[in-house]
Amino acid sequence: MTAQPQPNTFRAGPDERGHFGIFGGRFVAETLMPLILELEKAYGEAKNDPAFQAEMASYLTHYVGRPSPLYFAERLTEHLGGAKIYFKRDELNHTGAHKVNNVLGQILVARRMGKRRIIAETGAGQHGVATATLCARFGLDCVVYMGAVDVERQKPNVFRMKMLGAEVIPVQSGTKTLKDAMNEALRDWVTNVADTFYCIGTVAGPHPYPAMVRDFQSIIGRETREQMMQAEGRLPDSLVAAIGGGSNAIGLFHEFLDERQIEIYGVEAAGHGLTHLHAASIAGGRPGVLHGNRTYLLMNDDGQIQDAHSISAGLDYPGIGPEHSWLHEVGRVTYLSATDDEALDAFKLSCRLEGIIPALEPAHALAKVIELAPKKPRDHLMVMNLCGRGDKDIFTVAEHLGVKM
C-alpha cells in the first residue's frame, strides 16, 4: 500500500474504539465483550490513579530492577566501524527480558479487578516466566498455554514456570507454536469469564491490550531518552529492535515517534528467507483479522493463516501488533527482516565481542545493526534494545551449530 499522509503526532492513538488507522479494534466473541469493556474501564482508572502509579514504580525499582542500563558496546562499535552502538539492556531485568514490565502492570490491574486466576500464552517462554513470577509474588493461580513445539525447544523456561507454581499446558493443535497457544488461551477466557484475567504478552489482541501493553513497556524509551542525554548530551540518531508481536520495539520507539529526525527500524524474522518459511508479517503479509484485532498477517490466497517460522520461539507469530502495522502504513518506522542464519551470526558476535549472550529475538535486531552501523558516520548514535538474555536459547543454538550438550 502507498504511505498515508503523516499525522500531526504519531503518539496519540488508538482512538476510542481501539483503532490505529484501519488497524486494531476488537473482534471478539459476544461473551468476551463485557470483560473487555470492564478491563478498559479498570485500566483507565488505574492509569489515572497516583497510588497505582506509585505502586508500579516501586515494584519496577525494587523487584524488577529498573532502570536497566544503557551500555556502550565499545568492541562491537570498533569492530563494525561507523555508528556508535548502545544496547538498552532489558535482559538484565528480573526474569531476563522486557516482558516483566508489562506483566507487572497487568497483574496489578487484575488485582484491582479482584481476579484470582491468571492465564497467559507464551512462545519463547519469557512472558510465561514473567507471569508465573508475578503470580507467585502476589499469590495468584497461574495457567500458561504454550505450543508443544515451543515446550520442547524452551525446556529451561518450562521448568522455571513450573518451579514458580504455574500450570503449563502444552498445546497440540495447529503448528503447536505461539499462535495456537493464544487460540487456547482465548478459549479458556471465554469459558472462565468470572474469575479469570488474560495477561497478553505483546501489543496485539483486542483493544485495550495493544495500547495498555505499549504503555507499560514505554518505560524502556523514557529511560533511554534520559540515559542518552546523560551519556551523550543529545538524543539518539537511530533505534533498532526485534519484532514478533512487537512489545519491546514499541516500548523503545513510542517515546521518540514524534522526533522525526530519528530513524526507527523494526526487525522481523525472515526465517529461511522471505520466499520460504518465515515470520515477517509486514514484509510478506497483508491486512486481516486474527486474535481480536485487524493487522498485517501471513495469509494464503484464501485468507487462511499461514504457518510462521523462526529459529526464535518468540518471533514465529504470523501477525504483528496493529500499531506497528499503522506505523508502517504512515511510513514512520522502517521494517526490515533478518534470517535465522543472520541472527545466529549476530548471536555469536555478541558473545565473542561483548561477553553478552543475547536471546535469539534481539539477535535479529543485532543482525541489522551489523548491516546498518558501518554505513553511518562515527558520530551517529544507534540504540538497540537487547530485550532478552540467551540462557533459554543455548540448546537451540547448540543444535543448529551441531554441538552436543
Side-chain angles (χ1 to χ4, degrees):
M1 294 186 185
T2 55
Q4 299 172 357
Q6 294 201 340
N8 293 328
T9 176
F10 295 101
R11 303 182 72 227
D15 65 20
E16 67 281 356
R17 293 178 302 120
H19 287 97
F20 302 88
I22 66 165
F23 302 103
R26 40 187 167 215
F27 299 84
V28 296
E30 208 171 300
T31 325
L32 283 182
M33 192 55 85
L35 273 179
I36 294 282
L37 295 174
E38 181 192 11
L39 172 60
E40 183 180 21
K41 181 172 182 287
Y43 174 58
E45 290 170 354
K47 189 164 60 169
N48 295 310
D49 181 353
F52 175 87
Q53 296 298 340
E55 184 181 24
M56 179 96 180
S58 177
Y59 280 113
L60 284 170
T61 300
H62 302 293
Y63 193 71
V64 174
R66 301 204 72 91
S68 63
L70 184 69
Y71 165 73
F72 170 41
E74 187 174 4
R75 292 196 69 214
L76 182 67
T77 297
E78 186 182 318
H79 173 78
L80 295 176
K84 189 173 184 180
I85 300 161
Y86 281 87
F87 291 162
K88 179 58 172 162
R89 297 202 58 191
D90 254 44
E91 96 282 11
L92 294 178
N93 295 333
H94 181 41
T95 73
H98 67 291
K99 294 292 187 181
V100 68
N101 306 324
N102 162 54
V103 173
L104 172 64
Q106 288 198 51
I107 295 297
L108 293 181
V109 171
R111 291 176 76 223
R112 284 173 72 101
M113 296 172 72
K115 306 291 185 180
R116 303 291 309 169
R117 178 176 180 267
I118 310 298
I119 60 172
E121 86 296 329
T122 196
Q126 289 302 123
H127 175 60
V129 168
T131 305
T133 298
L134 269 301
C135 285
R137 169 61 186 83
F138 292 111
L140 304 172
D141 295 334
C142 181
V143 177
V144 179
Y145 289 92
M146 191 171 188
V149 168
D150 293 336
V151 168
E152 187 58 33
R153 62 179 171 173
Q154 297 291 334
K155 286 178 182 174
N157 275 346
V158 174
F159 183 69
R160 289 168 78 194
M161 287 183 270
K162 289 180 177 177
M163 287 295 293
L164 291 159
E167 179 185 2
V168 181
I169 300 180
V171 176
Q172 302 290 346
S173 59
T175 56
K176 305 178 187 179
T177 56
L178 182 55
K179 164 180 69 73
D180 312 292
M182 199 164 184
N183 287 341
E184 289 304 317
L186 284 165
R187 286 191 189 103
D188 182 317
W189 200 23
V190 171
T191 311
N192 300 286
V193 290
D195 65 337
T196 296
F197 184 98
Y198 181 14
C199 185
I200 291 182
T202 193
V203 284
H207 178 64
Y209 281 102
M212 178 172 65
V213 176
R214 176 202 68 196
D215 291 350
F216 289 140
Q217 291 292 3
S218 62
I219 189 169
I220 299 169
R222 293 197 302 275
E223 287 179 2
T224 299
R225 175 187 287 270
E226 189 175 318
Q227 291 167 324
M228 186 56 83
M229 291 303 292
Q230 288 175 351
E232 297 283 351
R234 64 184 182 89
L235 296 181
D237 297 298
S238 61
L239 309 170
V240 187
I243 290 184
S247 66
N248 94 84
I250 207 71
L252 175 64
F253 299 168
H254 184 66
E255 175 71 16
F256 300 99
L257 287 174
D258 284 342
E259 311 282 354
R260 299 185 188 220
Q261 76 281 9
I262 298 177
E263 301 168 12
I264 304 182
Y265 300 96
V267 185
E268 298 187 289
H272 297 315
L274 294 179
T275 56
H276 300 86
L277 269 178
H278 64 85
S281 304
I282 284 181
R286 66 182 197 274
V289 174
L290 179 68
H291 295 147
N293 69 117
R294 179 184 286 114
T295 190
Y296 267 77
L297 302 169
L298 298 180
M299 295 186 289
N300 64 20
D301 292 340
D302 297 322
Q304 297 299 306
I305 302 300
Q306 286 186 311
D307 294 350
H309 162 77
S310 170
I311 190 173
S312 155
L315 299 183
D316 66 350
Y317 181 67
I320 194 169
E323 188 166 8
H324 286 293
S325 292
W326 177 71
L327 289 168
H328 163 68
E329 293 268 302
V330 297
R332 178 61 187 99
V333 176
T334 301
Y335 292 87
L336 309 171
S337 58
T339 64
D340 290 353
D341 288 344
E342 288 173 324
L344 273 172
D345 288 344
F347 178 99
K348 290 185 285 186
L349 195 65
S350 176
C351 294
R352 288 201 311 270
L353 291 182
E354 293 295 345
I356 296 172
I357 303 175
L360 284 169
E361 289 83 4
H364 285 72
L366 184 55
K368 293 296 113 170
V369 169
I370 291 167
E371 188 179 293
L372 293 166
K375 300 172 185 174
K376 304 294 183 185
R378 289 187 179 275
D379 63 352
H380 182 104
L381 303 177
M382 181 177 287
V383 176
M384 189 204 89
N385 197 9
L386 199 103
C387 59
R389 68 178 189 228
D391 315 33
K392 67 184 181 63
D393 290 322
I394 55 173
F395 297 103
T396 300
V397 172
E399 183 183 332
H400 278 80
L401 297 179
V403 176
K404 287 191 176 181
M405 299 287 280

